[in-house]
Amino acid sequence: MSQRYKPNVTVACIIHATSQDKYLMVEEWIEGEQRFNQPAGHLEANESLTQACEREVFEETGLSLNPQGLVGIYQFSASEDLAFVRFTFFVQLDDMPSPAPQDDAIHAAHWLDFEQIEAKQSLLRSPLVLDCLRDYRHHLQQGSAYPLDLLNSDRLTIAPKSKA
């Protein structure tokens, strides 16, 4: 019998300073290698997807922001044994507030334009970083995005324990 597929559930947030057309990226060192990513991390127990996004953004940038919409839901296999389902949100800002990462794993946070991020393709945490950013830019051009209520994330329900 094959083992049940259990992908990691993660959230990420594209933070876009619209007036300067720059994106907030976090820099981290993973196994001695520099990597760039949107603020992102794992969903924790008893946490809605939007709450996870808000927490990860604060931990990795020091900014208290609420997601404004959903870019997309992505599935990615890093290896045969390591898979992810990633919910990517976005926040649009008028200015570029100074980030102050709270998480020791984050080395720094940088405001970069799309071309700078694209030039760092080999340093991105995963292909999803650029895929999500391209999708976000497409949504922006089309004037569309997925609304947060698509997720029903404010109605987090914990099932009662069953009697065995």
Side-chain angles (χ1 to χ4, degrees):
M1 186 160 109
S2 65
Q3 192 173 1
R4 188 171 154 225
Y5 180 66
K6 296 180 183 177
N8 292 280
V9 176
T10 61
V11 296
C13 191
I14 294 172
I15 302 172
H16 184 203
T18 56
S19 60
Q20 294 90 352
D21 199 22
K22 294 202 175 192
Y23 303 90
L24 189 57
M25 301 292 289
V26 296
E27 176 187 349
E28 52 194 338
W29 289 84
I30 301 169
E31 298 177 4
E33 294 185 3
Q34 181 186 40
R35 294 286 180 240
F36 290 86
N37 196 6
Q38 288 103 6
H42 292 265
L43 177 69
E44 294 182 358
N46 304 320
E47 183 177 56
S48 73
L49 293 163
T50 54
Q51 288 168 338
C53 179
E54 291 166 8
R55 177 184 51 75
E56 288 294 345
V57 166
F58 181 76
E59 288 175 0
E60 297 192 0
T61 70
L63 302 175
S64 294
L65 302 173
N66 299 318
Q68 297 167 336
L70 181 69
V71 175
I73 302 167
Y74 302 82
Q75 187 173 348
F76 173 69
S77 292
S79 68
E80 192 173 302
D81 300 325
L82 184 60
F84 300 88
V85 174
R86 183 190 216 223
F87 293 79
T88 301
F89 298 91
F90 71 88
V91 173
Q92 295 176 335
L93 305 172
D94 293 329
D95 57 356
M96 295 188 310
S98 297
Q102 308 296 301
D103 185 338
D104 292 338
I106 303 301
H107 179 70
H110 310 277
W111 287 101
L112 303 172
D113 63 32
F114 180 76
E115 290 74 23
Q116 290 171 310
I117 297 167
E118 216 173 21
K120 293 184 182 305
Q121 190 165 354
S122 66
L123 298 176
L124 299 179
R125 177 93 185 243
S126 84
L128 293 182
V129 175
L130 209 46
D131 289 348
C132 295
L133 192 53
R134 286 184 177 123
D135 288 348
Y136 167 78
R137 291 167 56 89
H138 175 76
H139 287 303
L140 197 63
Q141 287 177 339
Q142 301 300 316
S144 65
Y146 300 111
L148 293 176
D149 62 3
L150 176 74
L151 301 173
N152 295 324
S153 63
D154 289 336
R155 293 184 280 185
L156 180 65
T157 304
I158 299 170
K161 291 184 179 181
S162 61
K163 296 178 183 176

